[in-house]
């Protein structure tokens, strides 16, 4: 029934690929997008999970959305119009150092956003790709909103207007209404109340930052609680995970495949050789909580 749109959709895919390549060349982050879907058993408890890759159609819409957001951001900035810019700082240096070593990336690039993009690109085609994508995604801080251009790690630029963020419907709606007034005025803003718009934009950006921080915390709590419930009810003797590195005290942080950050204490880590990001089995010694790490022991 969608046959009449097939040519348009194919053109959109081609356009999205072109836009994605341009974004990546300037340092925009590009790695696999996936989500963990948890399944409940007959007792209503989480006992299974699977990683679901993002559909190509969603990636297509996102790339075109990035382009639209950037085009509008550039327009608003050049004309000094009230605008809410949407950014996201890049991954912390320590994480980038670790991931760079893991994929054998030698670079003097100092811009953290560009370096993160280079790490994701270098990981493609390697056994570490899924791990790197997961590490980059989980290490990115919460989204941020500002009345001034702000770094956006995904786009590799700082003039991205807030239009499509699901967590901030109010900012999206406000920007759409401002654009509507500007379009109606055909770009002639002398008769528009820009001071009032600026106050509304500043207030909305402040509230959106509060909402974004709350959503980020809620998402992390859900991720931890779901993973803990999965481990408790999966019935598996061992859990698979990625060892990260050996800390100064001899302990080894581990990211379990279910998404839970855990730890192998030094007393259990002695005598074992850990290959960074190489999957291996771990025995759960003590299940953690929202505030305490799960304790693991490597399986020989």
């Amino acid at each position: 029934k969608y046959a009449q749109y097939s040519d348009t959709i194919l053109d959109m895919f081609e356009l999205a690929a072109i836009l994605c390549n341009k974004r990546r060349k300037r340092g925009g982050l590009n790695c696999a997008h996936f989500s963990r879907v948890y399944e409940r058993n007959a007792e209503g408890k989480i006992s299974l999970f699977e990683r679901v890759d993002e559909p190509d159609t969603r990636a297509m819409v996102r790339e075109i959305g990035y382009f639209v957001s950037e085009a509008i951001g550039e327009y608003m900035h050049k004309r000094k119009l009230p605008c809410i810019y949407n950014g996201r700082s890049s991954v912390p240096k320590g994480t980038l150092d670790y991931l760079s070593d893991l994929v054998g990336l030698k670079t003097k690039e100092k811009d953290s956003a560009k370096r993160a993009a280079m790490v994701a690109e270098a990981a493609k085609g390697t056994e570490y790709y899924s791990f790197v994508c997961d590490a980059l995604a989980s290490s990115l801080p919460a989204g941020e909103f500002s009345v001034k251009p702000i770094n956006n790690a995904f786009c590799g630029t700082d003039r991205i207007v807030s239009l499509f963020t699901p967590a901030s419907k109010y900012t999206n709606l406000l920007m759409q209404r401002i654009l509507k007034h500007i379009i109606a005025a055909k770009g002639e803003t002398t008769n528009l109340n820009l001071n009032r718009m600026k106050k509304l934009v500043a207030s909305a950006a402040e509230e959106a930052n509060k909402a974004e921080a709350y959503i980020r915390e809620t998402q992390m709590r859900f991720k931890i609680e779901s993973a803990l419930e999965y481990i408790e009810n999966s019935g598996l003797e061992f859990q698979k995970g990625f060892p990260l590195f050996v800390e100064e005290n001899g302990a080894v942080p581990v990211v379990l495949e279910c998404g839970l950050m855990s730890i192998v204490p030094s007393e259990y880590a002695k005598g074992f050789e850990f290959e960074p990001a190489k999957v291996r089995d771990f025995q759960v010694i003590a299940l953690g909580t929202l505030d305490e790490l799960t304790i693991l022991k490597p399986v020989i």
Side-chain angles (χ1 to χ4, degrees), residues 63-274:
E63 290 298 336
I64 295 176
Y66 279 157
F67 172 75
V68 173
S69 296
E70 182 186 352
I72 295 174
E74 288 285 351
Y75 176 89
M76 303 293 277
H77 184 262
K78 287 180 179 179
R79 288 158 181 78
K80 298 180 179 180
L81 296 170
C83 184
I84 300 176
Y85 297 94
N86 188 4
R88 192 182 294 269
S89 300
S90 191
V91 180
K93 183 179 182 301
T95 302
L96 287 176
D97 288 343
Y98 171 75
L99 295 176
S100 295
D101 290 341
L102 184 66
V103 299
L105 177 65
K106 305 295 183 183
T107 177
K108 295 182 179 179
E109 178 60 60
K110 294 182 179 180
D111 184 284
S112 59
K114 290 183 179 179
R115 190 177 173 201
M118 293 168 68
V119 168
E121 199 66 25
K124 283 187 176 178
T126 72
E127 60 184 320
Y128 302 127
Y129 185 52
S130 293
F131 171 77
V132 168
C133 291
D134 207 359
L136 289 173
S138 60
S139 300
L140 284 170
E144 189 176 351
F145 299 88
S146 174
V147 296
K148 296 181 180 179
I150 183 172
N151 176 58
N152 189 302
F154 286 106
C155 296
T157 186
D158 59 1
R159 296 176 187 176
I160 301 297
V161 69
S162 175
L163 279 177
F164 305 107
T165 308
S168 53
K169 297 292 186 183
Y170 176 59
T171 57
N172 300 347
L173 181 61
L174 178 59
M175 283 308 306
Q176 290 164 15
R177 287 186 174 179
I178 289 176
L179 285 169
K180 180 179 178 181
H181 286 301
I182 293 172
I183 291 171
K186 297 181 180 180
E188 180 53 59
T189 60
T190 53
N191 294 325
L192 297 179
N193 191 341
L194 294 183
N195 286 331
R196 180 174 180 276
M197 288 183 180
K198 288 179 180 178
K199 290 180 180 179
L200 288 172
V201 162
S203 176
E206 183 178 348
E207 291 302 315
N209 280 325
K210 294 178 184 177
E212 193 74 16
Y214 173 78
I215 289 166
R216 175 77 169 184
E217 180 184 354
T218 303
Q219 289 174 334
M220 293 303 295
R221 290 177 64 89
F222 173 79
K223 177 181 177 180
I224 294 171
E225 289 180 344
S226 298
L228 289 170
E229 187 175 337
Y230 161 75
I231 293 173
E232 191 174 20
N233 299 297
S234 65
L236 298 176
E237 185 178 1
F238 306 125
Q239 295 290 331
K240 294 186 178 298
F242 301 97
L244 297 181
F245 48 82
V246 180
E247 295 182 340
E248 290 184 4
N249 62 4
V252 179
V254 174
V255 180
L256 294 178
E257 283 195 331
C258 61
L260 187 68
M261 177 62 75
S262 309
I263 191 80
V264 176
S266 56
E267 59 265 32
Y268 295 134
K270 290 178 181 178
F272 293 93
E273 292 186 5
F274 292 93

